[in-house]
Amino acid sequence: MELTYYSDYAVRLVNTEQPERGEDTLTSVEAVRELFGGAQQAARRATESDVTRLRTVRARLRAVFEAADRGDEVLAVDLLNALMMEFPVSPQISGHDYRDDGGTSRSWGSPRSNGVESGGGVGSGVGRPKWHMHIADHAANATAGFTATACMGLAFHLTELGVDRLGICEAKPCRNAYLDTSTNRSRRYCSDRCATRANVAAYRARKRLESGRTADSAQEPQASAARGER
């Protein structure tokens, strides 16, 4: 469903903090506005108060991802439900494009898509609106609007794809949240960079272990000979 797109809002917010590194980029109104991406109208409402509000929401969303990562599905759902009750959404049907009779999408104002705008109906054969679900923003402040959108997107992602699609990066010290969209549910890291770093670390650990075993094997004959001499 298209609303799963909004689940990325939750990921972006959670990953403004690197708890293992003691780093936090959510420190200003500008940082809050960057979270909204292309939703500039909603971002313009952000104030200094939203920095503190969103930090609180961030901690609660991270708890959702951590519960899911541990396999505690019930807790993850309960935590997300609590957020959605506190920050409800108002879904509505919206249309930004038209489809011609052949099913091709055309933007508003396109020469062949102005039938509805000029009074032509769905049955006029000129064009049909391309409808989709949209989250209406009637929130009292920027934090409420962002949180409602993020939680609804995350809820759709969770119910459509499964709780196990929410994860926390295994590459230490990174603890970024991620959404697993792989076909075989095999994702373990938030990015290719973290995956590479973890693989290199594992490779080096194996080499150290092998070197230790080789050294032990080399010392055994010497130790046996020394025991025989005595």
Side-chain angles (χ1 to χ4, degrees):
M1 181 173 286
E2 189 170 337
L3 287 179
T4 58
Y5 161 81
Y6 292 114
S7 57
D8 188 56
Y9 277 46
V11 174
R12 293 207 301 265
L13 176 56
V14 171
N15 293 345
T16 59
E17 182 184 30
Q18 290 279 334
E20 297 293 326
R21 296 187 174 105
E23 298 176 0
D24 187 347
T25 61
L26 189 59
T27 58
S28 65
V29 176
E30 288 71 23
V32 171
R33 289 172 179 160
E34 288 178 5
L35 288 172
F36 284 86
Q40 294 303 312
Q41 184 174 354
R44 281 194 289 269
R45 293 185 303 173
T47 66
E48 288 290 345
S49 298
D50 289 301
V51 176
T52 303
R53 293 190 192 112
L54 279 172
R55 281 180 170 180
T56 300
V57 171
R58 179 180 64 188
R60 295 172 66 182
L61 280 173
R62 176 173 285 278
V64 174
F65 279 91
E66 289 178 341
D69 189 65
R70 294 193 305 268
D72 195 340
E73 297 189 13
V74 174
L75 178 58
V77 170
D78 286 345
L79 292 172
L80 186 55
N81 274 336
L83 277 165
M84 288 194 294
M85 290 182 66
E86 188 173 340
F87 300 96
V89 300
S90 300
Q92 68 180 25
I93 299 173
S94 178
H96 298 297
D97 300 289
Y98 279 99
R99 290 177 296 186
D100 61 22
D101 291 340
T104 302
S105 295
R106 299 183 183 278
S107 61
W108 292 94
S110 176
R112 294 190 58 196
S113 67
N114 59 4
V116 175
E117 292 175 275
S118 61
V122 172
S124 66
V126 178
R128 297 181 291 133
K130 182 181 178 182
W131 302 114
H132 66 276
M133 290 299 296
H134 176 74
I135 297 178
D137 189 0
H138 303 306
N141 54 62
T143 294
F146 186 93
T147 305
T149 301
C151 291
M152 180 56 68
L154 199 58
F156 273 100
H157 194 100
L158 184 152
T159 54
E160 291 288 315
L161 301 178
V163 180
D164 56 342
R165 295 288 189 156
L166 280 60
I168 295 292
C169 186
E170 293 184 10
K172 296 182 179 180
C174 181
R175 295 293 291 167
N176 274 349
Y178 67 83
L179 297 169
D180 185 359
T181 57
S182 63
T183 56
N184 57 356
R185 300 172 183 263
S186 61
R187 186 170 178 180
R188 298 164 55 201
Y189 307 103
C190 68
S191 64
D192 291 340
R193 180 182 179 183
C194 277
T196 299
R197 188 169 68 245
N199 289 335
V200 169
Y203 172 78
R204 289 175 177 171
R206 288 195 302 270
K207 285 299 182 181
R208 286 195 296 269
L209 182 60
E210 291 172 2
S211 297
R213 289 173 176 172
T214 301
D216 291 342
S217 299
Q219 292 173 359
E220 284 180 4
Q222 298 176 6
S224 298
R227 287 192 297 270
E229 290 174 0
R230 291 197 297 270

